[in-house]
Every structure is written in structure tokens, then in C-alpha cells.
Amino acid sequence: LVLHNYTKIRKCNHCERLYYYNHSNQKYCNRKSTYEDYTHLECEQAVRNIKQRLSERNKSIQSHFCRFIFMCIFRIVLQNGC
């Protein structure tokens, strides 16, 4: 749907509400996020914060997993007397 030559309507990739945009690379509206704990942020900033939080969690999980694997290998080596 085109209202003017340069204004179009798109669905926000975060909250899925419709909004007007002028730039083809704009993916998020300027409204407040609908996600719990992020309602004080606009959609784009909420997405950044969520991605950062997930990245930190993934690093923590990977770190714990690596320690677990190391300890398993260490125990096997100790049991076999290598």
C-alpha cells in the first residue's frame, strides 16, 4: 500500500504492528515494545537488548558445556591411568 511516493506501510519485525516507513532498510517501528521486561524500549532497541541477552546466555551455556566435557575426559583419563 502506497500513500505517497516515498511513504509505505510495513509490518514491524518485532511487534508485528503496521507502521509507515521511508527507508527500505527500516525493519522496526518507533513504538514501545510489547514484550514483557522491554515495554520501556522502542522495538529496535528491544530487539538489540534481547539479542545481546541471548548471546550472553549462549556464551554461558557453551562455557558450562566445555567445562563439563573437559571434566568427563579428565575423569576417563584418571580412571584409565593415562
Side-chain angles (χ1 to χ4, degrees):
L1 177 62
V2 177
L3 298 178
H4 298 97
N5 289 339
Y6 301 104
T7 304
K8 298 178 184 176
I9 296 177
R10 176 180 283 165
K11 189 190 306 187
C12 177
N13 284 355
H14 178 66
C15 68
E16 297 187 349
R17 293 180 283 190
L18 297 176
Y19 69 99
Y20 296 109
Y21 74 98
N22 291 327
H23 305 287
S24 61
N25 61 350
Q26 186 176 349
K27 296 179 183 179
Y28 308 103
C29 67
N30 293 328
R31 296 186 190 112
K32 298 293 182 184
S33 174
T34 55
Y35 285 54
E36 189 177 332
D37 297 331
Y38 298 95
T39 55
H40 62 287
L41 300 172
E42 292 182 357
C43 286
E44 186 173 3
Q45 187 61 48
V47 169
R48 282 192 205 131
N49 287 17
I50 291 167
K51 285 181 179 180
Q52 181 180 3
R53 189 173 177 188
L54 288 173
S55 175
E56 290 168 359
R57 187 170 181 202
N58 278 345
K59 287 177 186 175
S60 175
I61 290 170
Q62 287 174 353
S63 175
H64 283 62
F65 181 72
C66 286
R67 272 190 243 132
F68 173 75
I69 295 297
F70 175 78
M71 291 306 295
C72 288
I73 292 171
F74 186 71
R75 285 183 186 146
I76 291 170
V77 168
L78 284 178
Q79 287 173 355
N80 293 332
C82 297

